[in-house]
């Protein structure tokens, strides 16, 4: 028996023979004196073929894994006809007389490197998408067939890495799980595996050896373990685990459409965190009650320049319309700290997490803020919008932001543009200053949402990016919990609601505590909605709340 370790990215246990994905090799010839017009025509032909194939794949994905998976291929279609991409190929074909294959291969390498160099993990994972789309165009250019696996029956699929199109083309009924040497949790293959409910482990590295081909294996998509030639005892244990997980999965499915209500009748809203309009289908599929945090800065991070008013308006409108009357809380641009864009040309900071980020940057660049506010208020006519300000430390910042909001509203009204009658304005509580001032801040806004990722970082003086800090970065620390209690009490005293939208909201160890504090809304990744609903429905606050509040008052929570 051999056990190797990767990263579990899609829960579940897969047991069966392991087969490697065989990718047909595309041979790329390189000519520097090609006929530009003939090569350009070849590229356009291959591009059209790729776009048609992606349309068909979108339909397969829709049938197998729903709208979210289909959207992936629709996004790939857009990438295949992206003007920047096309212009880069054209410059090489027409400008340098490269043949079409070499021009596509060079462009793919350049665009993928650009994505891979970005700070944000989501954008880094887009490098794989560019490569995938480009491989499809190259296959059309060279007449190479698609890959597959050579297994007699259902199998675990192994690969160095799998592109989303390769993943979806495999016969779902025959896949027991995915295991890849490379990949990340936010790669689209991981996302697809999760939506298809197929166990997956990525990042196994060189330990995933070709000699495992055809041998019996077990993968655990929760722990990331990959076991080759399991002994009888291990196999029996893992089969039992698989049964339990399937039972839990069935239970969670049965909770769709049910209320988030405790045994003693207390309710809490469960909303979702998203980074792009493309994430909305996952929210709807998970039965999320609304969007508690749309991290709008991702519109800026993925672009070569700041997105304009029209582009932002269309993105926000798309989310509001798709959410069909459910509440959508859009956070204004939280650029700075670990989320940076070159085009703002900001001076280098020694301590960027303590620097010009979030609302501070928006107040320092009012023209940029105005563009976003105009786009937001214009979009407000298309659904139930609320606006939320990040990185607040005091009252004057909020007052200044409110003035800019009022100015944007007045401008739009003067232009005769329709906007919603009421757009609630809230703030994130993610600095100790905001938590300590929450009595005064509550008088200024309509709601609070606690960003526990940053609140933990700033309260405990622990860089959230620094993995070496390990147990020092502890969102369960009593200092953080005391601040949350203070914020919840101050919010309720002022008659406004309070939510939590940091990672902690999805931590089921904390559900009873949030209910004891009277938290009104929890905003979590879509996949956490049903497990959280289950945890809420198992809670009886008559039993848990007095105990938790007494523990908190005495700081018996993990000191
Ligand atoms: C937070 O800080 O908890 C939060 C939700 O915002 P972000 O993670 O985007 O900084
Ligand atoms: Mg934050």
């Amino acid at each position: 028996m051999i056990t190797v370790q990767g990263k579990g990215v899609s829960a579940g246990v897969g047991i069966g023979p392991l087969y490697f994905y065989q990718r047909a090799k595309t041979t790329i010839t390189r000519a520097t004196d090609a006929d530009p017009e003939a090569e350009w025509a070849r590229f356009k032909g291959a591009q059209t073929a790729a776009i048609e194939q992606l349309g068909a794949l979108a339909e397969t994905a829709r049938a197998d894994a729903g709208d979210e998976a289909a959207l992936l291929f629709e996004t790939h279609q857009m990438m295949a006809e992206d003007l920047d991409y096309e212009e880069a190929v054209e410059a090489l074909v027409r400008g340098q007389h490269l043949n079409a294959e070499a021009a596509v291969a060079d462009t793919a390498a350049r665009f993928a490197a650009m994505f891979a160099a970005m700070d944000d993990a989501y954008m880094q994972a887009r490098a794989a998408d560019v490569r995938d789309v480009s491989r499809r165009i190259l296959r059309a250019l060279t007449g190479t067939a698609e890959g597959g696996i050579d297994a007699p029956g259902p199998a675990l699929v192994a690969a160095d890495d799998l592109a989303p199109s390769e993943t979806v083309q495999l016969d779902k009924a025959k896949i027991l799980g995915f295991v890849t040497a490379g990949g990340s949790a936010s790669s689209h293959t991981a996302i697809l595996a999760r939506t298809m409910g197929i166990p997956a482990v990525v990042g196994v590295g060189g330990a995933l050896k070709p000699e495992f081909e055809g041998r019996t294996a077990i993968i655990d998509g929760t722990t990331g373990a990959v076991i080759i030639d399991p002994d009888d005892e291990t196999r029996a244990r893992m089969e039992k685990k698989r049964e339990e997980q399937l039972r839990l999965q069935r239970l969670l499915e049965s909770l769709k459409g049910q209320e988030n209500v405790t045994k003693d009748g207390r309710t809490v809203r469960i909303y979702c965190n998203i980074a792009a309009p493309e994430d909305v289908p996952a929210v709807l599929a998970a039965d999320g009650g609304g969007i508690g945090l749309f991290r709008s800065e991702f519109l800026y991070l993925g672009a070569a320049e700041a997105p304009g008013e029209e582009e932002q308006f269309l993105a926000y409108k798309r989310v509001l319309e798709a959410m069909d009357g459910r509440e959508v809380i859009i956070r204004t641009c939280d650029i700075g700290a670990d989320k940076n864009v070159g085009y703002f040309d900001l001076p280098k900071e020694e301590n960027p997490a303590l620097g010009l980020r979030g609302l501070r940057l928006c107040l320092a660049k009012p023209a940029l803020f105005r563009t976003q506010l105009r786009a937001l208020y214009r979009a407000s006519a298309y659904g139930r919008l609320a606006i939320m300000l990040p990185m607040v430390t005091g009252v004057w910042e909020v007052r200044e932001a409110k003035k800019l909001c009022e100015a944007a509203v007045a401008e739009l009204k003067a232009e005769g543009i329709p906007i919603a009658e009421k757009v609630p304005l809230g703030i994130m509580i993610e600095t100790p200053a905001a938590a300590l001032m929450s009595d005064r801040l509550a008088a200024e806004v309509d709601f609070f949402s606690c960003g526990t990722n940053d609140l933990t970082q700033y309260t405990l003086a622990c860089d959230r990016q620094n993995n070496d800090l390990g147990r020092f970065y502890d969102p369960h620390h009593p200092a953080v919990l005391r601040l949350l209690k203070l914020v919840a009490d101050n919010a309720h005293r002022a008659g406004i609601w309070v939510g939590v939208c940091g990672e902690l909201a999805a931590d089921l160890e904390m559900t009873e505590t949030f209910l004891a504090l009277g938290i009104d809304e929890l905003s979590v990744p879509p996949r956490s909605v049903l497990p959280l609903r289950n945890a809420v429905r198992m809670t009886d606050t008559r039993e848990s709340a007095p105990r938790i509040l007494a523990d908190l008052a005495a700081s018996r929570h993990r000191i």
Side-chain angles (χ1 to χ4, degrees):
M1 183 165 91
I2 305 165
T3 303
V4 296
Q5 193 61 38
K7 190 170 167 44
V9 292
S10 178
V13 173
I15 305 177
L18 185 131
Y19 283 90
F20 278 82
Y21 185 86
Q22 309 292 342
R23 197 170 280 139
K25 217 165 162 40
T26 315
T27 312
I28 297 163
T29 52
R30 180 169 285 273
T32 47
D33 55 355
D35 171 357
E37 289 321 306
E39 291 305 303
W40 183 241
R42 283 185 64 231
F43 168 73
K44 291 301 285 178
Q47 183 192 35
T48 307
I51 291 167
E52 280 170 13
Q53 288 167 12
L54 285 162
L57 276 172
E59 289 323 306
T60 312
R62 197 182 314 280
D64 281 359
D67 284 347
E68 188 193 4
L71 202 68
L72 187 70
F73 294 101
E74 284 155 7
T75 311
H76 276 198
Q77 272 185 315
M78 282 191 265
M79 276 186 176
E81 51 195 346
D82 177 70
L83 273 185
D84 288 341
Y85 183 89
E86 198 177 295
E87 277 168 14
V89 174
E90 189 174 9
L92 295 175
V93 169
R94 289 212 162 108
Q96 298 185 23
H97 297 192
L98 273 193
N99 58 328
E101 289 88 329
V104 170
D106 288 2
T107 303
R110 185 156 74 78
F111 276 60
M114 190 179 75
F115 279 119
M118 290 187 180
D119 282 341
D120 175 64
Y122 183 85
M123 295 312 296
Q124 284 168 4
R126 302 292 70 78
D129 294 319
V130 177
R131 286 194 205 99
D132 190 11
V133 170
S134 305
R135 268 202 299 267
R136 180 167 300 282
I137 299 176
L138 284 170
R139 278 199 300 275
L141 276 170
T142 54
T144 315
E146 308 255 4
I149 57 165
D150 191 15
L156 292 166
V157 179
D160 51 351
D161 211 345
L162 274 170
S165 60
E166 293 169 336
T167 313
V168 83
Q169 259 160 211
L170 293 164
D171 181 355
K172 195 179 154 213
K174 292 201 182 128
I175 307 169
L176 301 170
F178 293 112
V179 50
T180 62
S184 71
S186 48
S187 67
H188 268 140
T189 298
I191 297 170
L192 261 181
R194 284 195 289 271
T195 26
M196 294 197 284
I198 294 176
V201 174
V202 302
V204 180
L208 186 63
K209 299 211 166 72
E211 63 255 34
F212 296 159
E213 173 90 1
R215 284 158 69 177
T216 300
I218 300 178
I219 68 164
D220 185 333
T222 310
T223 63
V226 178
I227 305 160
I228 313 295
D229 303 330
D231 57 32
D232 290 349
E233 192 209 316
T234 307
R235 189 177 174 127
R237 183 166 47 81
M238 295 305 282
E239 273 172 354
K240 192 159 164 244
K241 185 166 179 183
R242 182 175 60 181
E243 274 318 302
E244 276 163 13
Q245 285 183 341
L246 288 174
R247 218 179 11 252
L248 178 66
Q249 197 48 45
R250 281 194 292 270
L251 165 77
L252 293 180
E253 282 296 315
S254 75
L255 291 179
K256 284 191 181 164
Q258 304 280 331
E259 275 187 86
N260 312 309
V261 61
T262 62
K263 287 195 164 123
D264 52 319
R266 301 256 308 256
T267 56
V268 60
R269 300 195 297 279
I270 302 184
Y271 283 9
C272 291
N273 296 347
I274 64 165
E278 289 76 27
D279 298 336
V280 173
V283 177
L284 297 174
D287 198 21
I291 287 171
L293 169 64
F294 175 0
R295 291 178 158 103
S296 72
E297 59 276 10
F298 281 86
L299 298 177
Y300 296 70
L301 290 171
E305 57 186 34
E309 180 181 318
E310 190 64 17
E311 184 182 341
Q312 292 194 50
F313 161 69
L314 290 173
Y316 305 146
K317 173 171 173 270
R318 196 169 138 199
V319 173
L320 283 156
E321 285 182 336
M323 289 303 289
D324 199 17
R326 295 179 193 83
E327 189 168 23
V328 174
I329 302 174
I330 303 185
R331 171 171 80 182
T332 55
C333 170
D334 187 22
I335 294 285
D338 56 319
K339 290 176 284 198
N340 256 314
V341 288
Y343 53 78
F344 279 170
D345 257 340
L346 295 169
K348 190 171 160 23
E349 295 176 307
E350 283 300 324
N351 294 298
L354 306 180
L356 202 60
R357 70 169 287 199
L359 182 60
R360 296 174 180 181
L361 181 65
C362 289
L363 293 181
K365 288 184 173 283
L368 173 102
F369 199 30
R370 173 174 169 265
T371 302
Q372 179 165 40
L373 291 174
R374 282 181 57 97
L376 284 166
Y377 283 108
R378 276 175 63 193
S380 72
Y382 297 87
R384 203 172 138 214
L385 173 71
I387 297 176
M388 178 157 77
L389 308 170
M391 191 62 187
V392 169
T393 51
V395 172
W396 71 263
E397 301 160 13
V398 178
R399 288 193 177 149
E400 212 168 296
K402 275 163 71 176
K403 283 214 183 83
L404 294 168
C405 290
E406 282 157 17
V409 169
E411 266 179 36
L412 293 170
K413 281 191 175 156
E415 290 165 31
I417 295 174
I419 59 174
E421 213 161 273
K422 167 87 183 148
V423 180
L425 180 74
I427 55 169
M428 296 199 59
I429 302 286
E430 48 186 352
T431 63
L436 292 167
M437 293 303 291
S438 53
D439 55 337
R440 301 293 297 276
L441 287 164
E444 301 290 329
V445 294
D446 299 303
F447 64 91
F448 288 157
S449 184
C450 300
T452 47
N453 306 334
D454 278 316
L455 188 60
T456 305
Q457 151 164 279
Y458 295 126
T459 305
L460 303 182
C462 263
D463 181 355
R464 64 190 265 189
Q465 300 288 103
N466 183 347
N467 282 333
D468 296 338
L469 287 169
R471 62 204 168 109
F472 291 102
Y473 182 93
D474 175 15
H476 295 200
H477 192 293
V480 179
L481 303 186
R482 281 184 172 191
L483 288 179
L484 289 178
K485 172 147 184 8
L486 178 70
V487 173
D489 290 348
N490 282 332
H492 293 146
R493 219 169 276 137
I496 65 169
W497 65 262
V498 56
V500 177
C501 63
E503 297 307 301
L504 198 64
D507 178 346
L508 302 185
E509 259 187 64
M510 285 296 294
T511 311
E512 285 189 330
T513 304
F514 290 140
L515 288 164
L517 294 179
I519 297 293
D520 302 283
E521 176 245 26
L522 293 165
S523 192
V524 298
R527 67 175 173 282
S528 298
V529 169
L530 295 174
L532 181 55
R533 178 171 297 163
N534 188 38
V536 169
R537 292 171 69 88
M538 309 265 277
T539 302
D540 187 335
T541 64
R542 286 168 302 192
E543 180 279 315
S544 59
R547 171 175 44 84
I548 288 168
L549 293 176
D551 279 357
L552 256 179
S555 274
R556 278 195 292 267
H557 267 72
R558 291 208 196 164
I559 9 184

